[in-house]
Amino acid sequence: MIVGSDTLAKTIESSERMTLLDVREPAEFASGHLAGSRNVPLGELRGRVEEFTSAGEPVVLICRSGMRARTAERILREAGLRDVRVLDGGVLAWRASGRAMEGDPGAVTGRMRRGVGVMAIIAAVALWREQPALTLVLAIVGVRMALGQPVLPCMASGSCGTR
């Protein structure tokens, strides 16, 4: 079953019992993860399925974009676990929706991003007659930020300034 960022956030806020299982590698996990999630890299999951099948609570699988989580879903279902969910779009979608992550010092909360976006739109309006090119850039950046969308393509992939 696929679960979106909004639905998962509401489920977490409701304190419903579940296991958040991040199947990325430890370095990826350390660079930012959902609060309360456990890290078991996909390569280790087959040897540790009993930890999750015996817990008796739903498991939400998380990875960078959703691909590894779908593989992990097959592994857990083959082991007999029925209540398995996959975070649609992974941490990329979670971040793009403006939600904070633990261990992610560069993360900007959605509310702050939207506020900066609105300020950029206001600045664009103020510069309308003086600097039309700058106005256009500020307006585009502001609208994208206010809507919670990535401003640069690298923001969508989470790879800005990293290799």
Side-chain angles (χ1 to χ4, degrees):
M1 171 199 277
I2 303 292
V3 62
S5 295
D6 292 339
T7 303
L8 180 57
K10 288 175 186 168
T11 305
I12 291 170
E13 288 171 9
S14 74
S15 299
E16 180 181 322
R17 291 186 49 87
M18 73 181 105
T19 300
L20 298 174
L21 179 58
D22 193 317
V23 296
R24 296 177 297 155
E25 293 300 313
E28 293 174 284
F29 183 79
S31 71
H33 54 272
L34 276 70
S37 60
R38 292 179 54 188
N39 182 225
V40 176
L42 181 60
E44 297 176 16
L45 186 59
R46 284 194 196 281
R48 297 178 61 182
V49 293
E50 194 171 294
E51 294 174 34
F52 308 103
T53 56
S54 63
E57 58 188 39
V59 175
V60 179
L61 297 162
I62 304 158
C63 68
R64 182 176 170 274
S65 65
M67 298 303 292
R68 284 178 277 184
R70 287 187 182 95
T71 301
E73 178 185 27
R74 283 192 296 275
I75 292 169
L76 292 177
R77 287 194 185 280
E78 288 170 4
L81 193 61
R82 293 293 158 239
D83 198 353
V84 183
R85 306 166 194 176
V86 172
L87 175 59
D88 190 26
V91 294
L92 294 178
W94 186 263
R95 278 189 179 124
S97 70
R99 293 191 168 77
M101 296 178 65
E102 285 186 354
D104 186 3
V108 178
T109 65
R111 186 174 294 152
M112 183 183 290
R113 184 180 299 138
R114 285 187 288 278
V116 171
V118 169
M119 289 189 310
I121 293 168
I122 292 168
V125 170
L127 291 171
W128 176 252
R129 291 188 183 253
E130 304 283 325
Q131 301 286 329
L134 180 59
T135 298
L136 179 63
V137 170
L138 280 172
I140 291 170
V141 167
V143 168
R144 291 187 67 82
M145 289 181 82
L147 294 175
Q149 298 175 344
V151 177
L152 301 171
C154 66
M155 290 174 77
S157 67
S159 64
C160 294
T162 60
R163 291 189 171 204

